[in-house]
Amino acid sequence: MAASGMVPTEKAPYALNRATGDLADGAAKLAEEVGSTAVEAVLAAANRTMKSKGAGAAMGSMKPKPALWYAFDDKDQDTADWYPQGLTGSEDSDSIGVPAFLVSWYFKPAAGERGIRLSFVSPKTLKYRHALLVLAKPDGSYGPINIHAGGIACHGDLLYVADTEKGLRVFDLNKVLDLRTAQNDLGDDQRVGRHGGKLHAFGYRYVIPQTDAWELAKDGPNFSFVSIDRSGGTPKLVTGEYQESAPNGWVGRWDLGMAGGEPADAFIMGHPKIQGAMSYSGKWYLSQAAGSGANGKLLVYSGDQLQTRPFPIGPEDLTVQDGKLWSVTEFRGKRTIFGVSL
């Protein structure tokens, strides 16, 4: 792979160990009480609407502009509390029965913590709905997860979420839990967990408990983004590290299903501010940011040849769906899902 333009590097620092602990037991306890629902049902109950080619400020000076983009609603555009980061889709999953995108958001305020949430988006209806990702215990308690969730990828029913300092958290999309099946209302929108005999999730109807984890065998590298390469015979999970100013962020690939240990291969990318990476049909696609006021870049390696393509402001994680490369933009008033040619 030296000809890819990415520099091969030692694989051992990125080795992962499975760390299920009591996560599966906690998720099973909560699912037994609440009952699970399908992703398709969440999409059918979507309560927000995206706007086709809205939030045009996200495109900045990009020429040509993407053929397709969808903007989150005004409330999600305006909030300073939640920032979109990760992106995956129904084609990555191959188990979700309708076209869909999934977007992760992290909660930013200095005071208080509401963790991370996941948006289920229909590109057909442009309707979407948020769900809260939670950590559940075998005693039936649960609470928010305080991580950046900079990237996500879905393989089958499993959702992989980047945990910056630890590795990967795993959520089972068969365990999307509808609190309305357990009680008549959604509880207090200022609370999470069990209070006063009711279940609360900051007002969200749906919660998804973590079921598994893959943690770094040794401290050191960070996990900033995740994607899945389905262009070869064996799907590969791609993950790696954002570095603000240094060009030596890494990227690695694991065969799926996950067996832990070292990645199949690992590379130093040679560029700072990489927010997402995707390998597909022999090429590498790198999403490079440039802050909230300047257009990012899409860096494409074919062999050792680098092509630099225009990209919107604030590009993040990457995924491939419907023959296009998709990403999500993060900044206030500029929050979109957009697709460009591969």
Side-chain angles (χ1 to χ4, degrees):
M1 291 297 295
S4 69
M6 316 280 278
V7 179
T9 189
E10 184 183 0
K11 298 182 290 184
Y14 315 114
L16 293 171
N17 293 329
R18 196 169 190 176
T20 307
D22 62 9
L23 292 168
D25 294 336
K29 171 70 174 177
L30 196 58
E32 181 181 5
E33 178 178 355
V34 177
S36 302
T37 192
V39 170
E40 292 85 350
V42 178
L43 288 165
N47 60 350
R48 294 174 179 265
T49 304
M50 303 192 86
K51 182 179 179 181
S52 179
K53 296 192 175 180
M59 302 304 124
S61 61
M62 183 178 175
K63 292 182 181 180
K65 290 181 170 57
L68 292 172
W69 79 84
Y70 314 119
F72 292 95
D73 72 8
D74 289 345
K75 186 175 181 180
D76 285 331
Q77 292 292 341
D78 293 341
T79 181
D81 293 343
W82 291 98
Y83 286 75
Q85 297 289 295
L87 180 69
T88 187
S90 49
E91 286 189 18
D92 278 346
S93 165
D94 202 32
S95 292
I96 298 173
V98 294
F101 289 110
L102 284 65
V103 180
S104 66
W105 303 63
Y106 80 99
F107 192 69
K108 193 171 184 176
E113 180 52 64
R114 296 200 171 194
I116 52 175
R117 69 185 185 186
L118 187 71
S119 300
F120 294 93
V121 180
S122 169
K124 288 189 173 293
T125 67
L126 297 189
K127 297 286 188 178
Y128 70 103
R129 186 154 196 150
H130 301 311
L132 190 70
L133 301 181
V134 299
L135 188 67
K137 297 293 185 181
D139 65 2
S141 64
Y142 63 94
I145 299 172
N146 181 17
I147 62 172
H148 192 72
I152 58 175
C154 194
H155 177 62
D157 296 315
L158 299 182
L159 178 73
Y160 295 88
V161 178
D163 183 329
T164 307
E165 296 181 354
K166 290 187 176 181
L168 298 167
R169 295 183 185 238
V170 185
F171 299 79
D172 187 345
L173 295 180
N174 285 315
K175 288 185 170 61
V176 179
L177 311 183
D178 184 351
L179 296 187
R180 282 197 173 158
T181 64
Q183 57 198 35
N184 292 326
D185 59 54
L186 300 182
D188 187 340
D189 64 6
Q190 300 302 308
R191 289 184 166 185
V192 65
R194 296 176 181 273
H195 302 276
K198 286 188 174 182
L199 305 176
H200 305 267
F202 300 125
Y204 293 105
R205 176 175 174 177
Y206 300 97
V207 299
I208 310 173
Q210 184 179 345
T211 54
D212 211 342
W214 293 92
E215 295 186 353
L216 279 163
K218 297 180 180 179
D219 292 338
N222 288 333
F223 282 60
S224 304
F225 45 78
V226 192
S227 63
I228 292 180
D229 182 348
R230 296 186 173 277
S231 62
T234 301
K236 294 182 182 296
L237 186 142
V238 180
T239 184
E241 179 176 21
Y242 170 93
Q243 290 204 1
E244 176 66 23
S245 56
N248 56 346
W250 67 279
V251 66
R253 296 186 287 199
W254 278 261
D255 289 341
L256 284 169
M258 288 286 288
E262 297 178 0
D265 49 24
F267 306 89
I268 298 300
M269 293 180 288
H271 303 276
K273 295 182 171 63
I274 301 302
Q275 298 276 28
M278 163 70 71
S279 63
Y280 193 82
S281 293
K283 295 183 179 181
W284 278 98
Y285 297 85
L286 308 179
S287 171
Q288 186 178 49
S292 62
N295 280 74
K297 297 176 183 177
L298 179 64
L299 309 179
V300 184
Y301 275 107
S302 179
D304 59 359
Q305 299 299 307
L306 173 62
Q307 178 190 24
T308 300
R309 292 167 51 181
F311 232 31
I313 297 170
E316 291 283 328
D317 211 22
L318 298 173
T319 192
V320 171
Q321 186 146 308
D322 294 327
K324 292 182 174 60
L325 182 73
W326 294 83
S327 186
V328 60
T329 52
E330 70 167 322
F331 295 114
R332 291 178 70 185
K334 303 171 183 175
R335 291 171 177 156
T336 69
I337 300 170
F338 68 92
V340 299
S341 59
L342 284 162

